[in-house]
Amino acid sequence: MTEVYFLGTGGWVATRERDNTSLLIHQNEKLVLVDCPGSVIQKIKKIDLNPDAIVSVVITHVHPDHIYGLPSLVHSLMLVEGTINLYGKEESIHFCQNLLDLFHLREEKIKCRINFIPLRSGEDFHLLPSLSGSCLDVPHHPSSLAFSFEFKDLNKRLLFSGDTPIHPAIFEEARDIDYLVHECSAPKRYFDLYPILYDIHTNAFDLGRLSQESGVKCLIPCHIFGDLEFSESEIEQELLENYKGRLVFLHDLEKIII
Ligand SMILES: [Zn+2]
Ligand SMILES: [Zn+2]
């Protein structure tokens, strides 16, 4: 069985209900973490899994809400013998190395070793015996990548956009895909109020329209902005104006079974 947990589903400001976005893939007692904001260890314990089972960390980009928990993660696992593969664009790799060095977390006494693996857009990589990944550039930040995960035994694919404005390459990659996990920061009217958002994030109306055009089978919105004057049902309704597939609106610590 393969499960994908949503450890967080919120935007750059955590709210009472939603923490910063990160995903956790659980397959055959191994864990792959996608992005590393805070309290990952506690969240993994809350869903009754063992953080020692993390074998890989995948980083979408180096904004604080996606990466600030990395030193704490390594510090928490410092007595756990083993190696964690960390994947990301070259810029992300250097940033993570510097971040860990600030806390002396790459010194010999740290038993949990990090193996840094830089990726280029279009590159495939191997995560678990029946899980592979590939990545593509997205225009949110110079370090940004979106990730496509292929669950080979199950013949299913899941694409995670990371933070991104509407980007045609994502929707080409997402054609007829089983799961699209895409950022959905706010309703369109909020983007019209602050047009700069169109350059860095995605609104619910555009996401619903393009997901429908791409034939996405299951759409999972995340990275929902918090503490602003819109409701989650407004986002949901806006997505459903055009999207006619299966919409799964998850909350923190909920999961899908692939
Ligand atoms: Zn973000
Ligand atoms: Zn960002």
Side-chain angles (χ1 to χ4, degrees), residues 125-170:
F125 55 104
H126 185 73
L127 286 161
L128 293 172
S130 68
L131 175 62
S132 61
S134 62
C135 57
L136 64 138
D137 278 335
V138 291
H140 174 77
H141 182 269
S143 66
S144 286
L145 288 172
F147 289 95
S148 179
F149 298 101
E150 186 176 357
F151 304 92
K152 288 183 273 183
D153 287 355
L154 301 163
N155 200 22
K156 293 269 166 68
R157 287 191 308 133
L158 180 151
L159 175 58
F160 178 46
S161 69
D163 289 10
T164 181
I166 283 297
H167 185 49
I170 287 184

Tab-separated table of all heavy atoms in Angstrom, residues 125-170:
chain	number	residue	atom	x	y	z
A	125	PHE	N	14.909	10.435	-11.387
A	125	PHE	CA	15.667	9.908	-10.248
A	125	PHE	C	14.844	8.807	-9.581
A	125	PHE	O	13.634	8.707	-9.763
A	125	PHE	CB	16.078	11.012	-9.265
A	125	PHE	CG	14.945	11.853	-8.746
A	125	PHE	CD1	14.480	11.657	-7.449
A	125	PHE	CD2	14.341	12.822	-9.517
A	125	PHE	CE1	13.438	12.425	-6.944
A	125	PHE	CE2	13.289	13.596	-9.029
A	125	PHE	CZ	12.840	13.397	-7.748
A	126	HIS	N	15.576	7.994	-8.793
A	126	HIS	CA	15.003	6.780	-8.250
A	126	HIS	C	14.867	6.948	-6.738
A	126	HIS	O	15.851	7.184	-6.055
A	126	HIS	CB	15.972	5.649	-8.591
A	126	HIS	CG	15.479	4.327	-8.199
A	126	HIS	ND1	14.462	3.680	-8.869
A	126	HIS	CD2	15.848	3.506	-7.185
A	126	HIS	CE1	14.233	2.531	-8.290
A	126	HIS	NE2	15.050	2.401	-7.267
A	127	LEU	N	13.669	6.851	-6.172
A	127	LEU	CA	13.462	7.105	-4.744
A	127	LEU	C	13.314	5.825	-3.926
A	127	LEU	O	13.922	5.680	-2.876
A	127	LEU	CB	12.220	7.977	-4.558
A	127	LEU	CG	12.390	9.456	-4.942
A	127	LEU	CD1	11.035	10.112	-5.163
A	127	LEU	CD2	13.175	10.208	-3.884
A	128	LEU	N	12.484	4.913	-4.403
A	128	LEU	CA	12.226	3.641	-3.710
A	128	LEU	C	12.102	2.569	-4.793
A	128	LEU	O	11.956	2.912	-5.976
A	128	LEU	CB	10.916	3.732	-2.899
A	128	LEU	CG	10.891	4.690	-1.700
A	128	LEU	CD1	9.473	4.808	-1.135
A	128	LEU	CD2	11.857	4.225	-0.620
A	129	PRO	N	12.135	1.274	-4.420
A	129	PRO	CA	12.086	0.244	-5.465
A	129	PRO	C	10.961	0.433	-6.482
A	129	PRO	O	11.157	0.197	-7.668
A	129	PRO	CB	11.893	-1.040	-4.654
A	129	PRO	CG	12.581	-0.754	-3.364
A	129	PRO	CD	12.335	0.702	-3.076
A	130	SER	N	9.799	0.899	-6.036
A	130	SER	CA	8.738	1.099	-7.038
A	130	SER	C	8.265	2.552	-7.084
A	130	SER	O	7.116	2.832	-7.420
A	130	SER	CB	7.571	0.144	-6.778
A	130	SER	OG	6.936	0.509	-5.585
A	131	LEU	N	9.167	3.462	-6.750
A	131	LEU	CA	8.823	4.894	-6.823
A	131	LEU	C	9.976	5.657	-7.474
A	131	LEU	O	11.092	5.658	-6.979
A	131	LEU	CB	8.580	5.462	-5.414
A	131	LEU	CG	8.333	6.968	-5.311
A	131	LEU	CD1	7.078	7.384	-6.068
A	131	LEU	CD2	8.232	7.401	-3.844
A	132	SER	N	9.658	6.290	-8.603
A	132	SER	CA	10.672	7.128	-9.239
A	132	SER	C	10.116	8.539	-9.369
A	132	SER	O	8.919	8.787	-9.224
A	132	SER	CB	11.059	6.565	-10.606
A	132	SER	OG	9.930	6.540	-11.439
A	133	GLY	N	11.022	9.481	-9.607
A	133	GLY	CA	10.613	10.870	-9.729
A	133	GLY	C	11.227	11.504	-10.951
A	133	GLY	O	12.209	11.015	-11.507
A	134	SER	N	10.621	12.583	-11.400
A	134	SER	CA	11.254	13.434	-12.404
A	134	SER	C	10.872	14.870	-12.055
A	134	SER	O	9.971	15.095	-11.234
A	134	SER	CB	10.813	13.055	-13.820
A	134	SER	OG	9.435	13.240	-13.953
A	135	CYS	N	11.588	15.813	-12.607
A	135	CYS	CA	11.358	17.196	-12.179
A	135	CYS	C	11.334	18.138	-13.359
A	135	CYS	O	11.864	17.833	-14.425
A	135	CYS	CB	12.433	17.618	-11.176
A	135	CYS	SG	14.096	17.466	-11.820
A	136	LEU	N	10.697	19.271	-13.169
A	136	LEU	CA	10.706	20.307	-14.201
A	136	LEU	C	10.777	21.691	-13.573
A	136	LEU	O	10.253	21.902	-12.471
A	136	LEU	CB	9.497	20.192	-15.145
A	136	LEU	CG	8.106	20.388	-14.591
A	136	LEU	CD1	7.284	21.217	-15.547
A	136	LEU	CD2	7.421	19.051	-14.393
A	137	ASP	N	11.445	22.586	-14.285
A	137	ASP	CA	11.551	23.975	-13.821
A	137	ASP	C	10.182	24.617	-13.734
A	137	ASP	O	9.334	24.407	-14.611
A	137	ASP	CB	12.358	24.798	-14.833
A	137	ASP	CG	13.855	24.636	-14.641
A	137	ASP	OD1	14.281	24.322	-13.521
A	137	ASP	OD2	14.580	24.833	-15.632
A	138	VAL	N	9.976	25.415	-12.686
A	138	VAL	CA	8.788	26.282	-12.624
A	138	VAL	C	9.250	27.693	-12.268
A	138	VAL	O	10.289	27.859	-11.616
A	138	VAL	CB	7.721	25.778	-11.614
A	138	VAL	CG1	7.070	24.503	-12.113
A	138	VAL	CG2	8.302	25.567	-10.241
A	139	PRO	N	8.530	28.716	-12.710
A	139	PRO	CA	9.062	30.080	-12.654
A	139	PRO	C	8.812	30.845	-11.355
A	139	PRO	O	8.855	32.067	-11.364
A	139	PRO	CB	8.341	30.757	-13.833
A	139	PRO	CG	7.062	30.013	-13.978
A	139	PRO	CD	7.299	28.622	-13.517
A	140	HIS	N	8.607	30.165	-10.253
A	140	HIS	CA	8.307	30.850	-8.991
A	140	HIS	C	9.562	31.488	-8.370
A	140	HIS	O	9.533	32.616	-7.877
A	140	HIS	CB	7.697	29.829	-8.030
A	140	HIS	CG	7.458	30.298	-6.647
A	140	HIS	ND1	6.402	31.109	-6.298
A	140	HIS	CD2	8.126	30.056	-5.486
A	140	HIS	CE1	6.437	31.331	-4.997
A	140	HIS	NE2	7.479	30.722	-4.480
A	141	HIS	N	10.685	30.769	-8.423
A	141	HIS	CA	11.957	31.184	-7.798
A	141	HIS	C	13.067	30.467	-8.569
A	141	HIS	O	12.826	29.376	-9.108
A	141	HIS	CB	11.937	30.756	-6.313
A	141	HIS	CG	13.150	31.143	-5.535
A	141	HIS	ND1	14.245	30.316	-5.410
A	141	HIS	CD2	13.454	32.270	-4.837
A	141	HIS	CE1	15.168	30.922	-4.671
A	141	HIS	NE2	14.718	32.105	-4.309
A	142	PRO	N	14.288	31.043	-8.627
A	142	PRO	CA	15.353	30.346	-9.393
A	142	PRO	C	15.619	28.912	-8.937
A	142	PRO	O	16.084	28.085	-9.714
A	142	PRO	CB	16.584	31.234	-9.153
A	142	PRO	CG	16.027	32.583	-8.862
A	142	PRO	CD	14.727	32.371	-8.152
A	143	SER	N	15.320	28.598	-7.687
A	143	SER	CA	15.560	27.234	-7.190
A	143	SER	C	14.364	26.296	-7.392
A	143	SER	O	14.418	25.133	-6.984
A	143	SER	CB	15.894	27.280	-5.692
A	143	SER	OG	14.761	27.730	-4.955
A	144	SER	N	13.297	26.780	-8.029
A	144	SER	CA	12.025	26.025	-8.026
A	144	SER	C	11.983	24.852	-9.002
A	144	SER	O	12.372	24.979	-10.166
A	144	SER	CB	10.861	26.962	-8.378
A	144	SER	OG	10.561	27.802	-7.306
A	145	LEU	N	11.471	23.736	-8.501
A	145	LEU	CA	11.165	22.570	-9.333
A	145	LEU	C	9.773	22.057	-8.963
A	145	LEU	O	9.379	22.134	-7.798
A	145	LEU	CB	12.169	21.445	-9.070
A	145	LEU	CG	13.598	21.616	-9.599
A	145	LEU	CD1	14.486	20.489	-9.070
A	145	LEU	CD2	13.642	21.654	-11.119
A	146	ALA	N	9.060	21.541	-9.973
A	146	ALA	CA	7.869	20.721	-9.715
A	146	ALA	C	8.317	19.269	-9.843
A	146	ALA	O	9.287	18.980	-10.546
A	146	ALA	CB	6.779	21.035	-10.727
A	147	PHE	N	7.619	18.355	-9.162
A	147	PHE	CA	8.046	16.951	-9.167
A	147	PHE	C	6.906	16.044	-9.613
A	147	PHE	O	5.770	16.178	-9.147
A	147	PHE	CB	8.500	16.530	-7.764
A	147	PHE	CG	9.805	17.164	-7.373
A	147	PHE	CD1	9.816	18.344	-6.627
A	147	PHE	CD2	11.006	16.616	-7.781
A	147	PHE	CE1	11.028	18.944	-6.285
A	147	PHE	CE2	12.205	17.219	-7.441
A	147	PHE	CZ	12.224	18.379	-6.689
A	148	SER	N	7.261	15.130	-10.498
A	148	SER	CA	6.314	14.113	-10.928
A	148	SER	C	6.759	12.781	-10.326
A	148	SER	O	7.920	12.392	-10.481
A	148	SER	CB	6.333	14.055	-12.461
A	148	SER	OG	5.457	13.072	-12.906
A	149	PHE	N	5.880	12.130	-9.597
A	149	PHE	CA	6.206	10.855	-8.951
A	149	PHE	C	5.457	9.731	-9.669
A	149	PHE	O	4.250	9.843	-9.911
A	149	PHE	CB	5.801	10.882	-7.472
A	149	PHE	CG	6.529	11.945	-6.679
A	149	PHE	CD1	5.903	13.144	-6.362
A	149	PHE	CD2	7.846	11.757	-6.289
A	149	PHE	CE1	6.574	14.128	-5.641
A	149	PHE	CE2	8.525	12.740	-5.571
A	149	PHE	CZ	7.887	13.924	-5.247
A	150	GLU	N	6.195	8.669	-9.964
A	150	GLU	CA	5.572	7.528	-10.635
A	150	GLU	C	5.589	6.321	-9.704
A	150	GLU	O	6.660	5.870	-9.283
A	150	GLU	CB	6.318	7.208	-11.932
A	150	GLU	CG	5.613	6.125	-12.724
A	150	GLU	CD	6.256	5.850	-14.064
A	150	GLU	OE1	7.220	6.535	-14.433
A	150	GLU	OE2	5.778	4.908	-14.719
A	151	PHE	N	4.401	5.856	-9.348
A	151	PHE	CA	4.256	4.669	-8.495
A	151	PHE	C	4.150	3.477	-9.445
A	151	PHE	O	3.058	3.159	-9.946
A	151	PHE	CB	3.018	4.815	-7.602
A	151	PHE	CG	3.051	6.072	-6.761
A	151	PHE	CD1	2.476	7.250	-7.213
A	151	PHE	CD2	3.690	6.089	-5.532
A	151	PHE	CE1	2.518	8.418	-6.459
A	151	PHE	CE2	3.738	7.247	-4.763
A	151	PHE	CZ	3.156	8.410	-5.228
A	152	LYS	N	5.303	2.852	-9.703
A	152	LYS	CA	5.394	1.932	-10.841
A	152	LYS	C	4.521	0.689	-10.675
A	152	LYS	O	3.833	0.300	-11.610
A	152	LYS	CB	6.865	1.549	-11.063
A	152	LYS	CG	7.651	2.727	-11.649
A	152	LYS	CD	9.077	2.351	-11.946
A	152	LYS	CE	9.930	2.564	-10.719
A	152	LYS	NZ	11.344	2.282	-10.930
A	153	ASP	N	4.538	0.087	-9.467
A	153	ASP	CA	3.738	-1.130	-9.258
A	153	ASP	C	2.246	-0.855	-9.409
A	153	ASP	O	1.462	-1.735	-9.745
A	153	ASP	CB	3.972	-1.690	-7.846
A	153	ASP	CG	5.356	-2.330	-7.749
A	153	ASP	OD1	6.027	-2.386	-8.798
A	153	ASP	OD2	5.741	-2.736	-6.647
A	154	LEU	N	1.863	0.373	-9.096
A	154	LEU	CA	0.443	0.732	-9.100
A	154	LEU	C	0.024	1.377	-10.426
A	154	LEU	O	-1.158	1.638	-10.647
A	154	LEU	CB	0.165	1.711	-7.944
A	154	LEU	CG	0.507	1.164	-6.561
A	154	LEU	CD1	0.620	2.280	-5.538
A	154	LEU	CD2	-0.563	0.165	-6.130
A	155	ASN	N	1.032	1.657	-11.266
A	155	ASN	CA	0.766	2.311	-12.552
A	155	ASN	C	-0.002	3.631	-12.377
A	155	ASN	O	-0.971	3.911	-13.071
A	155	ASN	CB	-0.006	1.353	-13.468
A	155	ASN	CG	0.119	1.770	-14.919
A	155	ASN	OD1	1.073	2.484	-15.280
A	155	ASN	ND2	-0.842	1.371	-15.734
A	156	LYS	N	0.455	4.418	-11.381
A	156	LYS	CA	-0.203	5.705	-11.095
A	156	LYS	C	0.864	6.805	-11.059
A	156	LYS	O	2.024	6.563	-10.703
A	156	LYS	CB	-0.903	5.658	-9.727
A	156	LYS	CG	-2.092	4.713	-9.676
A	156	LYS	CD	-3.359	5.433	-10.024
A	156	LYS	CE	-4.528	4.537	-10.335
A	156	LYS	NZ	-5.053	3.790	-9.247
A	157	ARG	N	0.438	8.018	-11.398
A	157	ARG	CA	1.354	9.166	-11.339
A	157	ARG	C	0.728	10.288	-10.516
A	157	ARG	O	-0.494	10.504	-10.551
A	157	ARG	CB	1.643	9.702	-12.751
A	157	ARG	CG	2.555	8.804	-13.583
A	157	ARG	CD	3.008	9.510	-14.854
A	157	ARG	NE	1.900	10.045	-15.618
A	157	ARG	CZ	1.846	11.278	-16.133
A	157	ARG	NH1	2.852	12.112	-15.960
A	157	ARG	NH2	0.794	11.681	-16.815
A	158	LEU	N	1.603	10.988	-9.790
A	158	LEU	CA	1.187	12.159	-9.000
A	158	LEU	C	2.167	13.284	-9.302
A	158	LEU	O	3.374	13.100	-9.219
A	158	LEU	CB	1.205	11.820	-7.503
A	158	LEU	CG	0.800	12.920	-6.509
A	158	LEU	CD1	0.188	12.309	-5.244
A	158	LEU	CD2	1.959	13.832	-6.117
A	159	LEU	N	1.639	14.429	-9.672
A	159	LEU	CA	2.483	15.595	-9.947
A	159	LEU	C	2.257	16.628	-8.854
A	159	LEU	O	1.111	16.970	-8.542
A	159	LEU	CB	2.117	16.184	-11.320
A	159	LEU	CG	2.809	17.476	-11.760
A	159	LEU	CD1	4.326	17.330	-11.795
A	159	LEU	CD2	2.316	17.886	-13.145
A	160	PHE	N	3.358	17.099	-8.261
A	160	PHE	CA	3.284	18.134	-7.229
A	160	PHE	C	3.923	19.405	-7.790
A	160	PHE	O	5.099	19.411	-8.127
A	160	PHE	CB	4.018	17.671	-5.966
A	160	PHE	CG	4.043	18.705	-4.860
A	160	PHE	CD1	2.898	19.395	-4.504
A	160	PHE	CD2	5.211	18.997	-4.182
A	160	PHE	CE1	2.916	20.356	-3.495
A	160	PHE	CE2	5.244	19.946	-3.169
A	160	PHE	CZ	4.090	20.631	-2.831
A	161	SER	N	3.140	20.467	-7.849
A	161	SER	CA	3.595	21.689	-8.522
A	161	SER	C	4.626	22.476	-7.719
A	161	SER	O	5.405	23.224	-8.286
A	161	SER	CB	2.401	22.611	-8.778
A	161	SER	OG	1.909	23.125	-7.531
A	162	GLY	N	4.638	22.286	-6.369
A	162	GLY	CA	5.343	23.272	-5.542
A	162	GLY	C	4.671	24.630	-5.709
A	162	GLY	O	3.540	24.719	-6.208
A	163	ASP	N	5.342	25.698	-5.269
A	163	ASP	CA	4.794	27.040	-5.486
A	163	ASP	C	5.040	27.421	-6.944
A	163	ASP	O	6.152	27.269	-7.443
A	163	ASP	CB	5.517	28.071	-4.610
A	163	ASP	CG	5.182	27.923	-3.133
A	163	ASP	OD1	4.547	26.927	-2.771
A	163	ASP	OD2	5.580	28.815	-2.367
A	164	THR	N	4.035	27.924	-7.594
A	164	THR	CA	4.227	28.305	-9.008
A	164	THR	C	3.083	29.186	-9.477
A	164	THR	O	1.945	29.018	-9.037
A	164	THR	CB	4.293	27.041	-9.905
A	164	THR	OG1	4.502	27.450	-11.267
A	164	THR	CG2	3.027	26.223	-9.838
A	165	PRO	N	3.374	30.129	-10.389
A	165	PRO	CA	2.263	30.728	-11.130
A	165	PRO	C	1.763	29.689	-12.133
A	165	PRO	O	2.378	28.624	-12.283
A	165	PRO	CB	2.933	31.907	-11.856
A	165	PRO	CG	4.360	31.495	-12.020
A	165	PRO	CD	4.687	30.621	-10.830
A	166	ILE	N	0.681	29.984	-12.829
A	166	ILE	CA	0.233	29.088	-13.893
A	166	ILE	C	1.383	28.875	-14.864
A	166	ILE	O	1.981	29.842	-15.354
A	166	ILE	CB	-0.987	29.721	-14.620
A	166	ILE	CG1	-2.224	29.555	-13.755
A	166	ILE	CG2	-1.203	29.096	-15.989
A	166	ILE	CD1	-2.652	28.122	-13.499
A	167	HIS	N	1.708	27.609	-15.118
A	167	HIS	CA	2.863	27.299	-15.953
A	167	HIS	C	2.454	26.193	-16.925
A	167	HIS	O	2.157	25.067	-16.505
A	167	HIS	CB	4.022	26.854	-15.051
A	167	HIS	CG	5.289	26.622	-15.780
A	167	HIS	ND1	5.816	27.531	-16.676
A	167	HIS	CD2	6.157	25.570	-15.776
A	167	HIS	CE1	6.942	27.066	-17.165
A	167	HIS	NE2	7.160	25.876	-16.650
A	168	PRO	N	2.429	26.506	-18.251
A	168	PRO	CA	1.904	25.525	-19.219
A	168	PRO	C	2.580	24.166	-19.137
A	168	PRO	O	1.921	23.140	-19.312
A	168	PRO	CB	2.178	26.207	-20.573
A	168	PRO	CG	2.219	27.672	-20.258
A	168	PRO	CD	2.796	27.787	-18.870
A	169	ALA	N	3.896	24.123	-18.851
A	169	ALA	CA	4.604	22.829	-18.825
A	169	ALA	C	4.021	21.901	-17.757
A	169	ALA	O	4.021	20.675	-17.927
A	169	ALA	CB	6.086	23.051	-18.585
A	170	ILE	N	3.542	22.467	-16.658
A	170	ILE	CA	2.929	21.628	-15.620
A	170	ILE	C	1.683	20.948	-16.172
A	170	ILE	O	1.457	19.750	-15.958
A	170	ILE	CB	2.578	22.477	-14.379
A	170	ILE	CG1	3.859	22.834	-13.630
A	170	ILE	CG2	1.598	21.745	-13.461
A	170	ILE	CD1	3.637	23.585	-12.349
